[in-house]
């Protein structure tokens, strides 16, 4: 049986050089063609490559198989070219007489079952329709693989025939045939070639175990255990895999290394683990170091896996055939075959399709150079690990993802001038002779050049990660302040936060609470409001005293029947104003501070209570000679809730800050931010979380990919200027002097006389009216003014509650005043204009009385005063009930009273005596 001709089985190394007039033999002529043919074939396989270059795809649609145009090169150097698509609709058994091709035969010289496809339109009496293929061959289309055979052989013609005995030359025949065989038999023809890719496929990608930062993490030992657990798993995986590099890929690096470097790697890693992991020292840096090794290892695999170059293609690889892959049904075609191999995959199909193996001249050498560089880099990483030398805080721009060489050299490596690590860190810079341009923590130690010598002064918009290093073991507050300053000075795009590893929040350091928020701003508004109220009280007190002194000196306040009251009035006004000024100044000095300073001294509240008490006594002690046509700053302070607002806000702010402090403990912080991970730095826009122990020293750091705002200091804010000027007697005459009644009536008569002369033009006997009025006024004055204790027979003792005592006196005085006005108005001889004037006065006093009753009732209810018989509140309620009758007939005053008392006494916890009294008062109107 003729065998297929393999041209490169024997490579011609010489050829004949012809001489002039030389007689040539066939060997001499053939030597030239053989040499040139061999060189042509060798050029293809060694300078271009072998395998399927493009196209030559097989598809089946129904009972027709198509083969697309394409190009390929066999390992014998055959250039396989199909210029156009071809279609096949029939098949036949591949002839047993065909030239023998050794790859088709097993060790027992049995050939695999082969079926030749017949092109559509070509006549072949042996061919039958593809519809019969499964029945005839026993091979399902889904388990069939196509093979393109270069059927090359030398055809030797017979030397003699019956009529002719001329000696004919041999003929070299080469024709393409498309064959089908089972996928199982095709696997035996698929050769695994010694390429960088096939070697890399035997290596396993590595990964690092994740350090689990969970809410259960609460102590330094638990922190160490979290890292140690991940480190031990990761290192075991690394040390198991590293030795496989040389056993699988060593043949690629013979020219780069004299011996296997992985032996030293394993020994050094074991030594490092004993020094750091077993002693719980620098665990976070050690974990990052192992991750660097993994990145470098995986980069090596990813680099090698792309290279399919076959250094010296062997002729025996696939000398005369190219596997085209499985016969795939075209999209949309009908396939009624049911015996498909469902476990077959695209990957298996690729294994049954000859790949293209480019020549080494096309780049394998460059790839191996870079791969050898990465091997040197792994050695340098292991040899240079030295975390103890990192004790100066630095921030270095870097990258979060991508190749290790693009990132900054970490602080835990001993990177020095002349050291191996700076040299083998970045392959691109190594090729340029610019290794000193690599960014790194120890840039100064290896003579960094260009932007690497001062990375924060160079443009860093392209970097998405910032290494923060050299701060472990240092005081947290010092580190926090230093990082905060670096962020501010260099406009760095990340924030910083601190969490306590110990669960005892009394050991928190640095910033506390939530910082300055809108609640604090509202607190400032409340303090400002109270400040201005106190200033108003102080001003009213000064005005009060001034008016009293002026009125006494002017004789508006006269001696009563018991003797001169002027000295007593002046003494009271002066003493109360002095006390009031002292307390208001004390309170103002404590309120006009920052919130932090304000919180340190709570005695302001005692000052405010004293101010209320003094203001109430001020009014009560001078109630005989003063009146309040409307509420004053005194009244606003006494019944106002400004201090309560400050206390309420304090409660909310304290609660907010207490919860914020809870969140500064790592166990609670992790619950809110479960994405925490150690990274030896922080991504752009993220948060660097410093972790410190109960001694206040930084034990490590974590990273969040989002911004977490730390407590903000109280900012400088604009002063809160009053929208109106302070209270003055000219603008708001809050305190009104009540002259002696003889002066009151004289003034009224003078007004009346002037109006009468001008408008009515008649006179009345002022002297008569003055006499009668004087008589009545003296009687009222006797009832209204409280005489000296020795002169007032049967005088009722003052109430223990100064405020109630003052209110009781005011209510009684206003009731008596209304009674006096009623008696004046009953006089039939009273001129009309004087009567109108007195009616207006009476209505105003009635409205004031309604307001006083309302204020007093609310005070008793809000302060939960007892109303049992004989108590201060019970006495005042009696006065309120009896005096409220003086309001009857004044619709406006009645409305003021009913509106003011609406809801008073209706709650379930007020005494029934109080509710009954309020009900009787409102029921009258």
């Amino acid at each position: 049986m003729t065998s297929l001709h393999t041209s490169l089985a024997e490579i011609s190394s010489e050829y004949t050089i012809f001489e002039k007039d030389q007689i040539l033999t066939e060997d001499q002529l053939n030597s030239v063609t053989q040499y040139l043919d061999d060189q042509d074939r060798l050029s293809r396989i060694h300078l271009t490559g072998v395998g399927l270059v493009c196209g030559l795809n097989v598809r089946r649609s129904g009972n027709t198989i198509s083969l697309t145009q394409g190009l390929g090169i066999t390992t014998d150097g055959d250039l396989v070219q199909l210029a156009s698509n071809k279609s096949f609709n029939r098949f036949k058994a591949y002839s047993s007489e065909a030239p023998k091709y050794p790859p088709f035969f097993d060790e027992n010289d049995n050939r695999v079952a082969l079926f030749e496809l017949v092109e559509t339109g070509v006549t072949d009496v042996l061919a039958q329709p593809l519809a019969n293929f499964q029945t005839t061959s026993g091979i399902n289309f889904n388990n069939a693989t196509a093979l393109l055979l270069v059927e090359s052989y030398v055809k030797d013609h017979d030397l003699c025939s019956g009529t002719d005995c001329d000696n004919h030359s041999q003929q070299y025949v080469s024709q393409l045939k498309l064959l089908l065989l089972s996928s199982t038999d095709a696997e035996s023809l698929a050769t695994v070639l010694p390429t960088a890719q096939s070697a890399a496929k035997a290596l396993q990608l590595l990964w690092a175990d994740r350090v689990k930062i969970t809410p259960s993490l609460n102590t330094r030992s638990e922190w160490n255990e979290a890292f140690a657990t991940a480190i031990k798993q990761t290192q075991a995986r690394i040390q198991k895999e590293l030795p496989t590099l040389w056993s699988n890929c060593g043949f690629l690096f013979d020219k780069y290394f004299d011996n296997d470097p992985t032996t030293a790697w394993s020994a050094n890693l074991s030594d490092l683990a004993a020094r750091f992991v077993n002693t719980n020292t620098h665990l976070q840096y050690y974990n990052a170091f192992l991750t660097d090794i993994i990145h470098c290892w995986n980069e090596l695999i990813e680099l090698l896996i792309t290279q399919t170059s076959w250094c010296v293609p062997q002729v025996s690889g696939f000398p005369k055939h190219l596997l085209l892959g499985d016969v795939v049904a075209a999209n949309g075609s009908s396939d009624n075959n049911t015996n498909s191999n469902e476990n077959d995959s695209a990957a298996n199909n690729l294994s049954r399709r000859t790949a293209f193996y480019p020549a080494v001249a096309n780049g394998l050498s460059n790839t191996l150079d870079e791969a050898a560089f990465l091997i040197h880099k792994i050695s340098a990483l292991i040899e240079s690990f030295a975390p103890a030398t990192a004790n100066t805080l630095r921030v270095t721009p870097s990258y979060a993802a991508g190749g290790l060489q693009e990132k900054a050299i970490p602080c835990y490596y001993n990177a020095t001038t002349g050291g191996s690590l700076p040299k083998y860190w970045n392959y691109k810079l190594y090729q340029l002779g610019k290794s000193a341009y690599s960014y790194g923590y120890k840039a100064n130690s290896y003579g960094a050049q260009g932007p690497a010598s001062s990375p924060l002064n160079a443009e860093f918009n392209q970097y998405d990660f910032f290494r923060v290093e050299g701060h472990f073991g240092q005081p947290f507050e010092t580190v926090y302040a230093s990082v905060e300053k670096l962020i501010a000075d260099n406009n760095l795009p990340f924030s910083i936060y601190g969490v306590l590893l110990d669960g005892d929040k009394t050991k928190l350091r640095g910033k506390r609470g939530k910082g300055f928020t809108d609640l604090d701003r509202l607190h400032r508004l409340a303090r400002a409001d109270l400040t201005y109220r106190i200033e108003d009280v102080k001003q009213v007190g000064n005005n009060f005293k001034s008016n009293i002194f002026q009125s006494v000196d002017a004789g508006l306040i006269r001696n009563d029947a018991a003797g001169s009251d002027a000295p007593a009035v002046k003494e009271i006004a002066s003493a109360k104003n002095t006390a009031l000024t002292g307390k208001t100044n004390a309170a103002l000095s404590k309120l006009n501070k920052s919130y932090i300073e304000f919180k340190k001294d709570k005695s302001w509240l005692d000052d405010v209570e004293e101010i209320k008490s003094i203001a109430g006594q001020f009014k009560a002690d001078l109630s005989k000679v003063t009146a309040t046509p409307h509420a004053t700053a005194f009244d606003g302070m006494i019944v106002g809730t400004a201090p309560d607002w400050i206390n309420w806000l304090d409660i909310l702010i304290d609660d907010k800050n207490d919860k914020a402090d809870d969140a500064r403990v790592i166990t609670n912080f992790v619950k809110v931010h479960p994405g925490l991970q150690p990274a030896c730095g922080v991504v752009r826009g993220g948060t660097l979380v410093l972790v410190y122990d109960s001694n206040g020293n930084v034990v490590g750091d974590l990273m969040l990919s989002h911004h977490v705002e730390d407590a903000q200091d109280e900012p400088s804010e604009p002063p809160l200027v009053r929208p109106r000027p302070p209270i003055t007697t000219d603008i708001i005459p809050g305190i009104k002097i009540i002259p002696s009644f003889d002066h009151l009536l004289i003034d009224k008569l003078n007004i009346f006389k002037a109006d009468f002369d001008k408008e009515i033009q008649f006179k009345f006997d002022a002297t008569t009216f003055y006499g009668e009025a004087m008589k009545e006024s003296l009687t009222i004055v006797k009832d209204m003014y409280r005489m000296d204790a020795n002169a007032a027979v049967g005088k009722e003792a003052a109430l223990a509650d100064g405020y109630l005592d003052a209110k009781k006196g005011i209510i009684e005085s206003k009731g008596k005043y209304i009674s006096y006005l009623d008696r004046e108005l009953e006089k039939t001889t009273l001129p009309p204009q004087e009567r109108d004037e007195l009616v207006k006065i009476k209505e105003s006093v009635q409205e004031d009385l309604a307001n006083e009753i309302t204020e007093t009732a609310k005070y008793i209810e809000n302060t939960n005063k007892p109303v049992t018989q004989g108590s201060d509140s019970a006495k005042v309620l009696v006065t309120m009930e009896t005096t409220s009758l003086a309001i009857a007939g004044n619709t406006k005053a009645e409305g003021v009273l009913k509106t003011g008392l609406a809801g008073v006494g209706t709650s379930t916890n007020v005494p029934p005596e109080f509710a009954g009294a309020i009900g009787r008062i409102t029921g009258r109107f």
Side-chain angles (χ1 to χ4, degrees):
M1 178 186 294
T2 303
S3 297
L4 286 185
H5 178 70
T6 304
S7 298
L8 296 179
E10 294 183 13
I11 299 175
S12 176
S13 59
E14 60 182 30
Y15 60 90
T16 301
I17 298 176
F18 307 131
E19 297 285 346
K20 183 178 179 181
D21 299 328
Q22 177 181 347
I23 298 175
L24 301 177
T25 67
E26 74 278 9
D27 290 336
Q28 291 172 322
L29 289 173
N30 289 334
S31 68
V32 174
T33 59
Q34 288 174 358
Y35 183 85
L36 292 177
D37 182 58
D38 287 351
Q39 291 299 312
D40 189 31
R41 290 173 181 272
L42 289 172
S43 296
R44 286 196 196 110
I45 65 176
H46 290 300
L47 298 181
T48 302
V50 295
L52 289 171
V53 179
C54 64
L56 299 178
N57 296 307
V58 177
R59 292 290 183 271
R60 179 174 60 84
S61 178
N63 292 316
T64 299
I65 292 177
S66 62
L67 176 63
T68 65
Q69 61 183 4
L71 185 68
I73 302 174
T74 68
T75 54
D76 193 36
D78 295 303
L79 181 62
V80 179
Q81 181 191 20
L82 192 64
S84 61
N85 298 340
K86 292 188 177 296
S87 174
F88 303 84
N89 60 359
R90 288 163 297 154
F91 77 99
K92 64 181 179 179
Y94 184 55
S95 173
S96 60
E97 299 299 320
K100 186 175 182 179
Y101 182 46
F104 288 162
F105 291 82
D106 61 17
E107 62 275 9
N108 297 319
D109 206 29
N110 296 318
R111 194 184 75 177
V112 299
L114 296 169
F115 299 88
E116 180 181 349
L117 295 182
V118 178
E119 188 175 354
T120 302
V122 174
T123 302
D124 193 325
V125 295
L126 299 177
Q128 54 181 312
L130 276 174
N132 301 335
F133 180 76
Q134 180 175 336
T135 304
T136 302
S137 67
I139 302 173
N140 188 291
F141 274 129
N142 292 326
N143 293 323
T145 300
L147 178 147
L148 195 60
L149 178 67
V150 180
E151 195 177 68
S152 302
Y153 59 93
V154 176
K155 185 176 181 181
D156 192 0
H157 296 281
D158 293 336
L159 294 179
C160 297
S161 66
T163 61
D164 187 3
C165 200
D166 289 339
N167 190 8
H168 295 281
S169 63
Q170 294 177 323
Q171 185 177 8
Y172 180 80
V173 179
S174 180
Q175 55 188 355
L176 293 178
K177 292 195 173 182
L178 182 60
L179 307 179
L180 294 184
L181 69 165
S182 72
S183 297
T184 303
D185 290 337
E187 290 286 354
S188 64
L189 296 173
T191 306
V192 177
L193 303 177
T195 65
Q197 183 184 75
S198 63
K201 284 182 178 180
L203 304 178
Q204 298 298 318
L205 291 171
L206 292 173
W207 70 96
D209 273 32
R210 184 168 179 250
V211 178
K212 295 180 180 178
I213 307 299
T214 65
S216 62
L217 202 64
N218 194 39
T219 64
R220 180 66 180 270
S221 62
E222 291 172 345
W223 170 271
N224 290 339
E225 182 60 27
F227 277 92
T229 299
I231 287 171
K232 290 174 183 178
Q233 294 294 327
T234 301
Q235 178 147 339
R237 192 177 297 120
I238 291 174
Q239 290 191 275
K240 178 183 178 181
E241 189 61 25
L242 290 183
T244 65
L245 173 64
W246 223 246
S247 61
N248 291 289
C249 304
F251 71 94
L252 297 170
F253 303 105
D254 290 339
K255 75 173 184 177
Y256 301 97
F257 298 93
D258 294 331
N259 47 49
D260 179 4
T262 64
T263 304
W265 293 353
S266 296
N268 290 339
L269 281 174
S270 297
D271 179 61
L272 290 174
R275 288 168 53 197
F276 296 105
V277 182
N278 296 346
T279 60
N280 289 327
T281 308
H282 298 293
L283 292 181
Q284 184 167 346
Y285 284 156
Y286 194 87
N287 182 69
F289 155 65
L290 293 181
T291 303
D292 291 345
I293 293 176
I294 289 173
H295 286 165
C296 196
W297 173 268
N298 290 343
E299 284 179 34
L300 175 62
I301 294 176
E302 290 165 6
L303 177 65
L304 294 175
I305 208 76
T306 62
Q307 290 300 317
T308 57
S309 294
W310 189 1
C311 185
V312 182
Q314 300 299 310
V315 177
S316 59
F318 38 90
K320 294 298 177 180
H321 74 272
L322 295 172
L323 286 172
L324 305 184
D326 294 345
V327 179
V328 180
N331 292 335
S333 67
S334 172
D335 190 354
N336 296 321
N337 296 304
T338 58
N339 297 326
S340 63
N341 184 358
E342 296 180 358
N343 295 322
D344 221 356
S345 64
N348 289 332
N349 184 39
L350 289 176
S351 71
R352 294 188 288 272
R353 180 175 170 86
T354 304
F356 179 67
Y357 302 94
V360 173
N362 292 333
L364 175 62
S365 180
N366 292 337
T367 299
L368 292 181
D369 286 347
E370 186 173 357
F373 178 90
L374 290 174
I375 295 173
H376 281 299
K377 184 174 181 177
I378 294 176
S379 295
L381 293 176
I382 296 174
E383 294 167 0
S384 302
F385 182 69
T389 60
N391 51 24
T392 301
L393 177 67
R394 290 195 182 101
V395 175
T396 311
S398 186
Y399 290 101
L404 184 63
Q405 68 174 356
E406 302 297 333
K407 301 178 182 181
I409 303 175
C411 70
Y412 43 80
Y413 292 117
N414 187 21
T416 58
T417 302
S420 60
L421 190 60
K423 175 182 177 181
Y424 289 116
W425 185 260
N426 187 301
Y427 184 66
K428 294 177 183 177
L429 294 178
Y430 171 79
Q431 287 180 305
L432 294 171
K434 302 291 185 182
S435 294
Y437 277 67
S438 291
Y439 279 29
Y441 175 85
K442 297 178 181 175
N444 294 335
S445 298
Y446 56 82
Q449 299 177 14
S453 62
S454 183
L456 294 184
N457 290 323
E459 179 60 62
F460 54 69
N461 279 342
Q462 68 271 33
Y463 296 101
D464 63 355
F465 187 86
F466 295 85
R467 296 196 68 87
V468 183
E469 302 167 300
H471 54 285
F472 290 178
Q474 298 183 27
F476 163 72
E477 290 168 289
T478 301
V479 173
Y480 188 100
S482 298
V483 175
E484 200 169 39
K485 187 175 188 303
L486 281 171
I487 291 172
D489 292 348
N490 298 282
N491 194 27
L492 300 177
F494 62 88
S495 57
I496 184 173
Y497 204 84
V499 294
L500 173 65
L501 188 58
D502 192 320
D504 183 3
K505 70 178 181 180
T506 61
K507 297 178 181 178
L508 286 171
R509 306 293 179 98
K511 293 185 177 183
R512 301 289 297 274
K514 195 71 175 177
F516 191 84
T517 66
D518 285 341
L519 274 180
D520 299 270
R521 191 167 282 110
L522 186 59
H523 195 283
R524 179 170 177 251
L525 293 176
R527 296 200 310 274
D529 176 64
L530 181 58
T531 296
Y532 288 130
R533 287 178 183 273
I534 292 174
E535 289 177 351
D536 288 345
V537 168
K538 180 180 177 181
Q539 183 62 44
V540 169
N542 289 331
N543 293 341
F544 205 158
K545 173 191 170 184
S546 178
N547 288 344
I548 291 292
F549 274 52
Q550 291 175 8
S551 298
V552 171
D553 294 342
L556 294 177
I557 302 176
R558 294 181 177 276
N559 297 336
D560 60 15
S564 176
D565 62 354
V569 169
K570 274 190 169 185
E571 182 180 344
I572 292 171
S574 180
K576 295 302 180 187
N577 189 56
T578 299
L580 191 63
T581 300
K583 285 300 177 183
T584 53
N585 287 340
L588 290 172
S589 67
K590 297 168 185 174
L591 290 169
N592 289 323
K593 293 181 178 179
S594 67
Y595 179 74
I596 294 176
E597 293 301 317
F598 165 80
K599 287 285 289 181
K600 293 178 181 178
D601 185 0
K602 292 186 175 293
S603 62
W604 67 271
L605 192 55
D606 296 331
D607 294 336
V608 171
E609 291 302 316
E610 285 290 323
I611 292 171
K612 289 183 178 182
S613 177
I614 295 170
Q617 293 170 8
F618 209 146
K619 286 187 64 175
D621 291 352
L622 296 174
S623 62
K624 295 184 296 181
V625 294
T626 60
T628 53
H630 53 76
T632 67
F634 279 7
D635 302 303
M637 177 58 67
I638 292 169
V639 300
T641 59
D644 297 329
W645 272 99
I646 294 177
N647 285 328
W648 294 334
L649 286 170
D650 276 336
I651 292 172
L652 294 177
I653 292 172
D654 288 344
D655 179 67
K656 172 200 65 175
N657 288 334
D658 189 57
K659 290 176 180 176
D661 283 347
D662 286 339
R664 290 180 183 277
V665 177
I666 192 169
T667 54
N668 298 321
F669 190 79
V670 174
K671 294 176 183 176
V672 182
H673 304 284
L676 280 168
Q677 278 298 298
C680 296
V682 58
V683 293
R684 179 183 291 270
T687 303
L688 177 72
V689 182
L690 297 176
V691 181
Y692 60 95
D693 59 17
S694 57
N695 295 321
N697 295 323
V698 176
V699 301
D701 58 39
L702 302 170
M703 182 197 76
L704 284 173
S705 60
H706 58 273
H707 171 70
V708 176
E709 187 173 19
D710 206 344
Q712 298 299 306
D713 296 331
E714 185 169 352
S716 176
E717 296 197 325
L720 299 174
V721 182
R722 301 184 73 161
R724 54 179 173 77
I727 290 177
T728 65
T729 53
D730 296 331
I731 298 175
I732 305 177
I735 304 296
K736 185 174 182 179
I737 299 296
I738 300 178
S740 300
F741 276 97
D742 53 351
H743 277 278
L744 174 64
L745 293 180
I746 289 172
D747 290 343
K748 294 297 182 182
L749 290 176
N750 287 337
I751 293 171
F752 173 74
K753 180 179 181 298
D755 291 341
F756 181 81
D757 289 342
K758 182 179 179 180
E759 299 177 10
I760 307 179
Q761 300 297 314
F762 68 89
K763 299 179 179 180
F764 71 97
D765 188 353
T767 304
T768 302
F769 179 78
Y770 169 77
E772 293 176 356
M774 187 64 181
K775 179 180 178 181
E776 290 293 335
S777 67
L778 290 175
T779 303
I780 295 301
V781 167
K782 178 180 178 181
D783 293 336
M784 288 180 61
Y785 295 158
R786 294 177 179 174
M787 305 301 175
D788 185 83
N790 296 328
V793 179
K795 175 186 176 183
E796 184 179 358
L799 302 180
D801 188 317
Y803 181 76
L804 283 179
D805 188 58
K807 285 293 187 182
K808 182 173 181 291
I810 292 171
I811 292 171
E812 289 174 342
S813 297
K814 292 187 182 296
K816 292 175 180 179
Y817 196 9
I818 293 170
S819 297
Y820 162 72
L821 294 172
D822 283 341
R823 289 196 296 274
E824 287 297 308
L825 290 170
E826 288 174 359
K827 296 178 180 180
T828 59
T829 58
L830 194 65
Q833 183 148 345
E834 181 68 14
R835 179 181 297 279
D836 292 343
E837 183 68 22
L838 292 180
V839 168
K840 291 179 181 179
I841 293 173
K842 176 184 175 182
E843 291 174 347
S844 176
V845 176
Q846 286 176 316
E847 292 172 20
D848 288 345
L849 177 59
N851 281 321
E852 292 292 344
I853 291 174
T854 298
E855 290 178 9
T856 306
K858 290 181 178 179
Y859 174 78
I860 294 172
E861 182 179 44
N862 292 337
T863 56
N864 295 319
K865 297 290 184 181
V867 292
T868 56
Q869 187 174 3
S871 65
D872 289 353
S873 298
K875 293 176 182 178
V876 175
L877 284 173
V878 172
T879 300
M880 290 164 55
E881 281 195 68
T882 56
T883 311
S884 64
L885 294 170
I887 295 173
N890 185 336
T891 305
K892 185 175 181 181
E894 291 176 359
V896 170
L897 186 64
K898 286 192 288 184
T899 302
L901 293 178
V904 177
T906 60
S907 61
T908 58
N909 59 346
V910 300
E913 298 87 348
F914 177 75
I918 298 303
R920 289 190 292 274
I921 292 173
T922 56
R924 293 170 178 162
F925 308 107

